[in-house]
Amino acid sequence: RRAKQEDSGFAFYRPDYDHHTQDRLALQAALHQALKEDDLTLHYQSILDLQTGALDWAEALLRWYRVGELVMPGAFIPLAEESGLIGSLDRFVLRRATLEAVRLGLQISVNLSPKSLHAPEVVEWVRQALEESGLEPARLCLEITEVALRGDSGASTLQTEREQAIANLKALRALGVRIALDDFGSGYSWLSCLKHTPVDLLKMAPTFVAGIGKDPRDEEMLRSLIALGHGLGLKVLAKGVETPEQLGWLREAGCDLAQGYGVARPVPLEILRMAPSSLAG
Ligand code: C2E
Ligand code: MG
Ligand code: MG
């Protein structure tokens, strides 16, 4: 039974009344173990440069091999965020992805959870990962979301978190890494968020792309977001590109980059290695 719902969106449960709590605790313990025993792995989804055809950039996506079963991040990232394990997970991904990026000769994107972006240590984590891997900083892109940048609740702790996040982003950019705003356009404060955040890349939320060829309003939104990004000197990436028609439309509209099942699915490292490094036309 749900005992209390905090404003933060985190729910607190009464263990004696909620048998689901047992499952959650067991899952958290198993995740902790997986991290120690190296049962976590990264899959990579290629990102296509729509103007040059280059495919030398990929997003690292976390996967958990749990007794032979593949567990997707949606099933364990929220748990990791609740239990405080997310910092260790993000750190693991940073180290692994930068090492593998060097081995593959790729540019790499890594997702950073809001909690990690609020941690003063994150700059040091990234600096260490770059140093250990030898990856050129400009070849690492960190993906953040609007959630990490909200400071509009009036609560002083949130304001401090937002300030810490902005300070971290500035320090990260000073290292030479790039910052992407993920799922841009899906939240409710993305415009003001964009104004105050140092970023290099806008990853447009996939909902707009789904409307290409179907809904003129989505197409107009896409054109506007592309113009907005370019006007601010940013690169613009379309997420969730599934069809050749969408790909063609986006290239025509001047979008810089595309990612989605229509370009490439997320795959293990060994399979990415066999993929072509560019797609002509
Ligand atoms: P995201 O960063 O928005 O990642 C994109 C998600 O959309 C991935 O799901 C990807 O497999 C999926 N996707 C890609 N192309 C298409 C498409 O054309 N159609 C559809 N329907 N889906 C597509 P995935 O791998 O399950 O990841 C889900 C979310 O989990 C990510 O969303 C990200 O927020 C989080 N996540 C994944 N890996 C990490 C990680 O290493 N650290 C952190 N903090 N979060 C992660
Ligand atoms: Mg992402
Ligand atoms: Mg998403």
Side-chain angles (χ1 to χ4, degrees):
R1 186 163 61 97
R2 182 162 291 184
K4 192 165 181 259
Q5 176 84 45
E6 296 283 340
D7 288 339
S8 66
F10 290 112
F12 292 86
Y13 294 88
R14 298 265 300 270
D16 43 339
Y17 289 122
D18 186 5
H19 61 271
H20 291 299
T21 302
Q22 296 303 322
D23 299 345
R24 289 148 53 89
L25 289 177
L27 203 61
Q28 280 173 4
L31 183 57
H32 193 83
Q33 201 67 16
L35 190 58
K36 281 203 296 193
E37 292 177 357
D38 204 24
D39 290 338
L40 298 174
T41 190
L42 298 178
H43 282 187
Y44 292 95
Q45 185 176 34
S46 295
I47 294 168
L48 173 67
D49 186 318
L50 284 166
Q51 309 307 325
T52 68
L55 259 183
D56 66 343
W57 182 358
E59 177 174 2
L61 295 162
L62 193 55
R63 301 288 182 263
W64 175 12
Y65 281 101
R66 194 182 182 203
V67 267
E69 172 205 12
L70 185 63
V71 189
M72 303 300 279
F76 64 87
I77 294 278
L79 272 173
E81 283 176 339
E82 282 176 52
S83 65
L85 206 58
I86 191 69
S88 308
L89 279 190
D90 280 352
R91 202 173 178 198
F92 163 85
V93 175
L94 275 168
R95 298 178 71 175
R96 179 66 63 86
T98 49
L99 282 168
E100 293 186 335
V102 169
R103 224 191 306 158
L104 290 160
L106 289 178
Q107 306 186 62
I108 203 83
S109 286
V110 171
N111 292 286
L112 217 52
S113 89
K115 278 221 174 129
S116 295
L117 190 62
H118 297 153
E121 305 81 32
V122 73
V123 182
E124 186 54 22
W125 296 348
V126 172
R127 200 196 57 72
Q128 272 178 20
L130 290 169
E131 189 180 289
E132 283 171 23
S133 64
L135 182 70
E136 201 185 308
R139 295 174 75 78
L140 174 63
C141 179
L142 299 172
E143 300 196 355
I144 60 163
T145 56
E146 182 193 310
V147 179
L149 298 158
R150 278 185 200 152
D152 46 4
S153 74
S156 61
T157 51
L158 279 178
Q159 191 54 41
T160 308
E161 280 181 351
R162 202 173 96 96
E163 282 163 8
Q164 181 72 55
I166 302 278
N168 283 343
L169 289 176
K170 287 183 177 157
L172 288 166
R173 273 176 119 205
L175 287 179
V177 307
R178 287 175 298 160
I179 308 295
L181 202 45
D182 207 350
D183 286 321
F184 185 70
S186 66
Y188 63 82
S189 59
W190 48 270
L191 261 183
S192 70
C193 182
L194 183 59
K195 182 174 171 188
H196 299 290
T197 312
V199 291
D200 305 276
L201 174 73
L202 298 181
K203 294 190 77 166
M204 297 186 289
T207 47
F208 305 112
V209 169
I212 291 176
K214 292 183 188 139
D215 188 343
R217 289 158 57 99
D218 279 326
E219 295 182 352
E220 199 47 54
M221 301 277 272
L222 282 168
R223 281 196 199 92
S224 300
L225 290 175
I226 293 167
L228 174 65
H230 287 172
L232 294 171
L234 311 176
K235 293 273 186 196
V236 180
L237 182 152
K239 284 177 73 167
V241 179
E242 297 188 344
T243 70
E245 186 201 4
Q246 292 166 349
L247 206 59
W249 189 95
L250 289 160
R251 186 182 285 118
E252 196 78 353
C255 188
D256 303 291
L257 300 146
Q259 184 179 3
Y261 296 164
V263 173
R265 293 203 169 241
V267 292
L269 177 97
E270 309 78 57
I271 293 177
L272 191 74
R273 220 183 230 148
M274 300 184 296
S277 60
S278 74
L279 283 185

